[in-house]
Amino acid sequence: MNKKSFSLVLNLRVVLFFVALETLTVPLVAMSNKIATQAVIFMAIMGFVVAFIIVMVLLRLLKQVIINNSLRIFAVQLSAVHGVWYLGVLAGILEMIMFVVQDLLFARQWDDYRVGFASAFISVGLTLILYQLGARYFKLALVLVSATTKYTLQFAGLDIFKLALLFGVYEFIVCPITGWWIPYQDTQRLMMAIFSGVVGGGSGGLLLYLITRFIPWFRPKFHLASSF
């Protein structure tokens, strides 16, 4: 089995992705907050549904962009990308874990910064471990298809830790910002949720860009393992 590895160095376009992600998710969270906070189970379900829908939409929009730029990104010209649905499911699981962890930590009177970091670190780490186990034992993974080879996207243990740490730092900044809507109601709540999503996603995305660009240690590696 052949393997290709490449380091994650984000560019400024990633800021637009995080702005879109937060601007789409935060208003949905804000508008459903009264229902979801009645019980942790409702919060978990809401997190799964919101993340699954939004990530599926964004990934389907980005799939052709990834294929068109695959030679520059992966050093392999791709013809197709399979398994986007699986990433949507994992994104839902990640958000579900994050919401439950946040609920537990807020109940212990943790502040927004610590809750943001801990919830992202735990949820991203656990989800990536789940992904790696699925890829290794059940052949569930993102599959990148070239003219001659199929590659499965995989992660090593240290890279999982680095990604969890990166997104912990991201949420350390973003969590306090994306909660700006909490004191508001109705239309004002929606408008503030959109605004906080733009500011939070932009700030967090820019921070990740700067970290991966100027601090090499924080660049996790992605591994492409050929299937044949």
Side-chain angles (χ1 to χ4, degrees), residues 174-215:
V174 173
C175 185
I177 296 173
T178 52
W180 286 350
W181 53 266
I182 292 174
Y184 298 89
Q185 298 296 326
D186 303 324
T187 302
Q188 286 185 326
R189 169 171 284 198
L190 176 61
M191 298 307 296
M192 185 55 69
I194 294 171
F195 176 68
S196 64
V198 172
V199 176
S203 301
L206 181 60
L207 179 62
L208 293 192
Y209 161 75
L210 293 173
I211 290 174
T212 60
R213 185 166 182 84
F214 296 108
I215 309 178

Side-chain angles (χ1 to χ4, degrees), residues 160-176:
I160 289 175
F161 173 77
K162 288 182 180 181
L163 279 166
L165 190 59
L166 272 175
F167 282 99
V169 173
Y170 171 87
E171 201 65 29
F172 178 85
I173 298 296
V174 173
C175 185

Side-chain angles (χ1 to χ4, degrees), residues 53-66:
I53 293 173
I54 298 303
V55 170
M56 282 293 294
V57 169
L58 291 177
L59 288 179
R60 289 194 175 277
L61 291 174
L62 288 172
K63 186 164 73 170
Q64 193 58 48
V65 175
I66 293 172

Side-chain angles (χ1 to χ4, degrees), residues 3 7 18 22 38 42-45 50 58 63 66 74 92 113 117 120 127 137 140 150 164 166 184 198 224:
K3 281 192 176 183
S7 297
F18 283 112
E22 298 294 348
Q38 292 177 6
F42 291 128
M43 184 178 296
I45 293 171
V50 169
L58 291 177
K63 186 164 73 170
I66 293 172
F74 307 111
Y113 299 97
F117 177 86
T127 304
Y137 297 109
L140 288 172
K150 291 183 179 179
L166 272 175
Y184 298 89
V198 172
L224 299 181

